Amino acid sequence: MTDKKQEVYIIATGGTIDKIYSPSEQTTILSEKSSIPAYLENIAGVKAIYKFEQLMMIDSRDMTDAHRAKLLNAIKNVPSSNIVITHGTDTMVETALYIGENSTNLNKTIILTGSMVPMDGFTNSDAGFNLGHAIATAQQKEQGVFICMNGQVFDPRKTRKNISESRFESPP
Ligand code: ASP
């Protein structure tokens, strides 16, 4: 039987982690169907411990407060207390702050993660590493909203994306 504490509910919203290369468009585009379940099951061998929902599939530069309200509503309805949200990196901090500011007594551990390079079809992707770190953190961390990127667990109030270095950091 699955240990309840190990269960993680993953909500996909899009971002580079779910982009794929389109040969006809000669660029990366958002995949219609998230790559995450196939990665977890076929590559990482993760099966029993997760549930998955593709809530939206957008570039996070297009994420509005209406999208964030929809996400928050989904979070509130999730039966699990361990939640991983996959999200574009450009506005990941804004969404994490929105969730933190607009929720009280959620009693859930909410981890946002994403990647700088798409999960599917790119051997140099950081996606699998970040997703694994986010899942492990959701299983263990106390309740609250956090960002898992680059092997670090960030407080969204104290982090930013460093665009020129393609990584998240805590500003001094
Ligand atoms: N433009 C993408 C997004 O924020 C960038 C990324 O995910 O790294 O959705």
Side-chain angles (χ1 to χ4, degrees):
M1 211 166 97
T2 308
D3 180 347
K4 187 82 181 85
K5 280 182 280 187
Q6 301 292 305
E7 284 179 1
V8 176
Y9 195 101
I10 302 170
I11 302 175
T13 69
T16 292
I17 192 167
D18 259 322
K19 287 188 179 176
I20 50 170
Y21 184 73
S22 162
S24 59
E25 295 179 51
Q26 298 188 358
T27 187
T28 54
I29 57 166
L30 282 158
S31 176
E32 278 176 27
K33 192 169 161 229
S34 173
S35 308
I36 289 164
Y39 175 86
L40 287 175
E41 305 230 355
N42 303 332
I43 297 179
V46 176
K47 290 189 195 295
I49 61 109
Y50 84 97
K51 291 198 167 46
F52 178 82
E53 175 181 352
Q54 182 177 316
L55 185 67
M56 55 189 94
M57 190 51 75
I58 62 171
D59 188 295
S60 80
R61 288 171 296 188
D62 299 325
M63 181 79 64
T64 63
D65 276 357
H67 292 111
R68 293 188 173 104
K70 183 177 175 182
L71 176 58
L72 185 56
N73 193 43
I75 289 168
K76 286 179 180 161
N77 289 327
V78 163
S80 172
S81 57
N82 304 338
I83 301 176
V84 169
I85 297 162
T86 58
H87 193 287
T89 60
D90 284 328
T91 67
M92 188 182 288
V93 171
E94 285 88 331
T95 298
L97 291 173
Y98 178 96
I99 295 167
E101 286 161 11
N102 291 283
S103 56
T104 43
N105 303 323
L106 266 182
N107 294 329
K108 294 177 193 286
T109 302
I110 300 162
I111 310 291
L112 286 90
T113 195
S115 68
M116 304 290 175
V117 177
M119 171 173 266
D120 191 10
F122 290 77
T123 51
N124 62 341
S125 177
D126 53 333
F129 176 86
N130 292 341
L131 184 62
H133 182 218
I135 289 173
T137 304
Q139 290 168 328
Q140 292 166 31
K141 191 94 176 138
E142 74 274 10
Q143 64 191 56
V145 185
F146 306 93
I147 287 175
C148 279
M149 289 293 292
N150 310 105
Q152 283 182 260
V153 182
F154 292 103
D155 178 338
R157 292 165 297 185
K158 297 177 195 153
T159 190
R160 66 183 176 199
K161 179 181 176 181
N162 181 327
I163 294 172
S164 60
E165 293 186 18
S166 292
R167 62 183 179 80
F168 279 68
E169 64 185 9
S170 298

